[in-house]
Amino acid sequence: MNKPELRQSIITYLKQLSTVEKQTIEKKLASYLITLDTWKQAKTVGITISQQLEWDTKPIIETAWEEGKTVCVPKCLPKEKKLIFYEFYTYNQLETVYYHLLEPKPDESIEVEKDNIDLLLVPGLLFDKKGYRIGFGGGYYDRFLSDFPNQTVSITSERQVVDQLPAESFDIPVSRILTENGLANQGDLL
């Protein structure tokens, strides 16, 4: 299958998950994430505000706040096709933009330079064991990751991890893939 077919296949799977199945996986993902050394050592965590098809990031954000971490979330700049992360400390900072995405209001937020993000949670739909991913197709994260110097992790279900995905020269793999069963690619990494 090509990338659009793979993307559509996993979207169908995600839409068919029951609320109970989804919440069970999300609880396991969050509990595994906070046990990782990279999480424990991170002072600043970059994370998206999840949408309906994505794994819920709200409990992760709130755990980070409880632990005294700085949380930053991205704003997409469609004309430049790039991401800028802003410090996130209250849901009142967010506004609804295109595709019903929740993003920070730049005039009410402080920009965080990418070098200052210790751990970045990278969203995606499908992953392979080398860390390559298929996202929603905008390429924003691959551009952002091209010179990102710190740790990356993606949270996903076991069903979203395959042996190999088609990768192109501009695709940037994530360091770690975390599923409801733990690290999917711990053998290759830190």
Side-chain angles (χ1 to χ4, degrees), residues 64-130:
W65 285 339
E66 288 167 12
E67 293 181 4
K69 297 182 186 300
T70 299
V71 175
C72 56
V73 296
K75 176 147 190 77
C76 297
L77 302 179
K79 288 181 183 171
E80 296 95 359
K81 288 207 165 211
K82 73 181 225 180
L83 297 174
I84 295 179
F85 280 78
Y86 290 93
E87 195 171 317
F88 175 56
Y89 47 86
T90 175
Y91 289 95
N92 294 332
Q93 270 178 275
L94 301 176
E95 63 183 342
T96 303
V97 295
Y98 59 93
Y99 300 116
H100 305 288
L101 292 172
L102 289 172
E103 293 185 344
K105 299 173 194 170
D107 57 341
E108 296 179 22
S109 307
I110 299 167
E111 186 175 339
V112 177
E113 295 296 323
K114 71 170 60 176
D115 291 0
N116 294 330
I117 302 171
D118 302 311
L119 175 62
L120 181 63
L121 275 75
V122 180
L125 290 168
L126 271 173
F127 301 86
D128 72 17
K129 293 185 179 181
K130 293 180 182 174

Side-chain angles (χ1 to χ4, degrees), residues 51-71:
Q51 297 297 297
Q52 188 174 357
L53 279 180
E54 298 172 309
W55 302 108
D56 188 7
T57 57
K58 187 176 180 183
I60 296 167
I61 290 166
E62 291 173 1
T63 297
W65 285 339
E66 288 167 12
E67 293 181 4
K69 297 182 186 300
T70 299
V71 175

Side-chain angles (χ1 to χ4, degrees), residues 140-157:
Y140 288 88
Y141 274 88
D142 286 318
R143 280 186 282 285
F144 187 83
L145 293 172
S146 67
D147 62 350
F148 181 70
N150 297 319
Q151 294 296 310
T152 56
V153 67
S154 290
I155 57 172
T156 191
S157 75

Side-chain angles (χ1 to χ4, degrees), residues 1 5-18 21 25 29 55 124-129 134 155-165 177-182 184:
M1 280 196 261
E5 291 168 334
L6 289 166
R7 189 177 288 120
Q8 191 52 54
S9 169
I10 207 64
I11 286 172
T12 300
Y13 157 72
L14 292 169
K15 285 181 176 178
Q16 292 173 349
L17 277 176
S18 73
E21 289 173 308
I25 292 170
L29 291 171
W55 302 108
L125 290 168
L126 271 173
F127 301 86
D128 72 17
K129 293 185 179 181
I134 293 177
I155 57 172
T156 191
S157 75
E158 195 71 35
R159 174 82 187 268
Q160 292 171 271
V161 179
V162 297
D163 287 333
Q164 187 172 358
L165 287 173
I177 300 165
L178 187 64
T179 74
E180 69 273 25
N181 297 322

